[in-house]
Amino acid sequence: LEQNVASRLRLSGLCFLLQILNILLFAVFVRYSPESSSSLCSPQLTCSRRNQDSGLQHPRFRDVHLQVLLGFGLLVAFLGRYGPGSVVISILIVSFAIQWAVLIQGFLYFFHNGKIYMGAPSMVSADFCTAAVLISTGAVLGRVNPVQMLLLALLEVILCALNEYILLSLMGVSDSGRSLTVHIFGAYFGLMVSRILHQPHMEKRRREDQQDTGHQPDVFAVVGTIYLWIFWPSFTSAATVHDNAEPWAVINTYFSLVASTIATFILSLVLYEESTPRMVQIQDATLAGAAVMGMAGEMLVTPFGALIAGFLAGLISLLGFRFFTPVLYFRLKIQDTCGVHNVHGIPGILGALLGTLLTLLATADAYGDRLELVFPLVAQGSRTAADQAFLQLCALPLTLLLATLGGCLTGAVLKTKALRSPPDKGNLENTVLWEVKRGG
């Protein structure tokens, strides 16, 4: 009881300190963005150098925000006994990470004359960064307590924003749907934290607890899947400016989602003995189909190409769960609680490779005026399509490197004795906030 009280007070104290810090930093630096703020924004983020209808940003922000909170947030409702507690923690993480991301990204992108000028673009960017954090928490769910979760968010937002700045601003990489900066970075950052936190004497109990999935996760998966289907095309296209052009990112994501889901129905009936796929599997397929369109969504994929990419992503995701997840756990000692490697990591890498291939084929004849929206430096003549493709390809190992090093650093911090829960604690470590009692 005393340990539980101490955990609650420690969480309360950390939340208080972090919120006061955010308030002070907002008071000193953050201001409303003026009407002419489009000139202050990076063209690689969520605003364009062109004049645009600012009203377009608000529906995009709404869709992305709903996607992060309900789509990604419900992904952590993975365990029957601890699902609600996991959702509570995800809301806590979202609440902190959005504030922190606005500040960190603001200093990198929206800092002008000593102030951070924020508007809808910076809010969308903060939601993207928060999505990466939520993906990472899926890899360590049930193995860290809420205090460690908050510290993970604190460190990952900084590293995620730095990776995004290097790729999108310094290198000029096109990654509108965030294959690299959200899916890949979030997945491998979380996997490395999981590897560093590996404790052999605790894993058997955790695996037994995490097999308690029951009916409740399927309910969460139904809601999460519906929101993913509705809002993910907007998530993929939120960082682009369409003007009067057709929304390729929306169309490509739309077809990728349907093909990935069909792939799940095909393969799950072969790999598993169940008569129909579980909703969690369909949710994973939806994620995989969307992740593969992250980088390539805004490019000339063509509708049949999107169907092929989504179909392959769905097959690879399910094969990963069946065959590669055991290798991660037993050989590499990486416990991936929610399977983020299969639904974000591998599809994200596939999407990055697809985007690189499509970049090689980017020509003014194929893209027309749209070339300046997707590859502005190529359209201006300061970079060839081959040069752009090479940078797109280099961005993949660079993201993996930053995610791996950042995850190792964060895992080492979280593993310190002062932050760990008592080793004899029977429950999963994220149940400080909420636990569902088993039926008698």
Side-chain angles (χ1 to χ4, degrees):
L1 180 61
E2 291 180 358
Q3 291 174 345
N4 191 35
V5 172
S7 297
R8 291 174 183 272
L9 291 177
R10 184 166 55 177
L11 175 61
S12 177
L14 180 60
C15 288
F16 177 79
L17 290 176
L18 291 177
Q19 187 58 45
I20 293 300
L21 173 64
N22 281 331
I23 290 173
L24 292 176
L25 290 174
F26 266 71
V28 174
F29 294 107
V30 178
R31 298 292 183 270
Y32 291 124
S33 179
E35 291 298 322
S36 60
S37 61
S38 59
S39 62
L40 305 178
C41 298
S42 167
Q44 299 295 335
L45 278 176
T46 53
C47 47
S48 170
R49 287 164 296 175
R50 292 180 173 83
N51 294 326
Q52 59 179 312
D53 181 8
S54 60
L56 290 175
Q57 291 291 348
H58 299 294
R60 292 179 190 174
F61 165 70
R62 176 201 61 204
D63 291 351
V64 171
H65 197 56
L66 281 170
Q67 179 75 301
V68 169
L69 199 58
L70 288 170
F72 282 102
L74 289 176
L75 293 181
V76 298
F78 183 73
L79 309 176
R81 186 179 182 188
Y82 305 107
S86 302
V87 175
V88 170
I89 292 175
S90 73
I91 294 173
L92 171 64
I93 292 170
V94 168
S95 301
F96 166 71
I98 285 176
Q99 300 177 69
W100 189 235
V102 166
L103 288 166
I104 300 301
Q105 293 179 323
F107 285 118
L108 294 173
Y109 294 109
F110 306 102
F111 196 67
H112 186 69
N113 293 333
K115 301 296 179 183
I116 296 172
Y117 292 97
M118 68 160 293
S122 54
M123 294 165 68
V124 172
S125 298
D127 273 330
F128 278 135
C129 193
T130 301
V133 176
L134 288 174
I135 291 171
S136 298
T137 61
V140 298
L141 181 64
R143 311 181 64 214
V144 296
N145 56 49
V147 170
Q148 291 172 309
M149 285 282 200
L150 273 177
L151 293 177
L152 181 149
L154 177 74
L155 296 173
E156 184 171 0
V157 165
I158 297 173
L159 295 168
C160 180
L162 178 62
N163 178 64
E164 185 183 69
Y165 179 72
I166 293 173
L167 266 57
L168 304 187
S169 283
L170 299 185
M171 295 175 62
V173 171
S174 176
D175 187 27
S176 61
R178 301 304 196 259
S179 278
L180 293 165
T181 57
V182 172
H183 295 288
I184 294 176
F185 187 90
Y188 289 98
F189 186 97
L191 290 173
M192 291 313 301
V193 172
S194 179
R195 177 62 185 89
I196 298 299
L197 294 178
H198 177 73
Q199 293 178 285
H201 63 281
M202 293 291 289
E203 299 305 328
K204 182 178 179 180
R205 174 57 186 263
R206 282 171 174 148
R207 291 188 74 204
E208 291 173 354
D209 277 336
Q210 289 169 2
Q211 289 171 356
D212 170 35
T213 54
H215 172 69
Q216 183 175 266
D218 283 339
V219 175
F220 281 124
V222 169
V223 179
T225 302
I226 290 172
Y227 274 94
L228 289 171
W229 267 76
I230 294 173
F231 294 111
W232 203 295
S234 295
F235 185 91
T236 306
S237 64
T240 63
V241 180
H242 298 307
D243 290 334
N244 295 322
E246 286 295 326
W248 284 359
V250 173
I251 296 171
N252 293 331
T253 305
Y254 180 81
F255 286 111
S256 182
L257 288 175
V258 297
S260 180
T261 303
I262 293 295
T264 299
F265 277 86
I266 294 172
L267 201 55
S268 64
L269 301 178
V270 176
L271 297 178
Y272 300 96
E273 297 180 356
E274 300 169 347
S275 58
T276 58
R278 292 188 298 121
M279 277 304 303
V280 171
Q281 293 174 339
I282 297 174
Q283 185 183 48
D284 293 338
T286 307
L287 282 162
V292 78
M293 281 295 110
M295 179 187 290
E298 189 64 8
M299 301 178 189
L300 188 58
V301 181
T302 71
F304 82 89
L307 288 174
I308 294 173
F311 187 72
L312 290 176
L315 294 177
I316 290 172
S317 176
L318 209 57
L319 288 170
F321 274 106
R322 185 68 177 85
F323 298 108
F324 198 67
T325 295
V327 175
L328 277 180
Y329 181 78
F330 292 107
R331 297 293 179 87
L332 302 179
K333 307 302 179 185
I334 297 176
Q335 181 180 344
D336 183 6
T337 308
C338 291
V340 299
H341 184 251
N342 303 307
V343 299
H344 296 284
I346 296 178
I349 291 176
L350 182 62
L353 295 176
L354 175 61
T356 300
L357 176 62
L358 292 173
T359 303
L360 277 172
L361 306 176
T363 63
D365 292 337
Y367 280 75
D369 293 340
R370 193 186 194 91
L371 185 65
E372 188 174 355
L373 294 176
V374 185
F375 303 112
L377 296 178
V378 175
Q380 295 166 12
S382 59
R383 182 180 292 178
T384 65
D387 292 338
Q388 182 69 41
F390 177 73
L391 289 173
Q392 300 281 132
L393 183 61
C394 290
L396 176 58
L398 179 58
T399 298
L400 289 171
L401 177 63
L402 289 174
T404 300
L405 294 178
C408 290
L409 172 64
T410 302
V413 172
L414 301 186
K415 199 172 184 178
T416 56
K417 186 176 180 181
L419 296 175
R420 291 202 301 260
S421 295
D424 59 345
K425 188 175 181 181
N427 293 336
L428 290 179
E429 296 188 15
N430 67 350
T431 60
V432 173
L433 299 181
W434 189 333
E435 178 180 344
V436 177
K437 302 297 182 184
R438 293 180 188 270

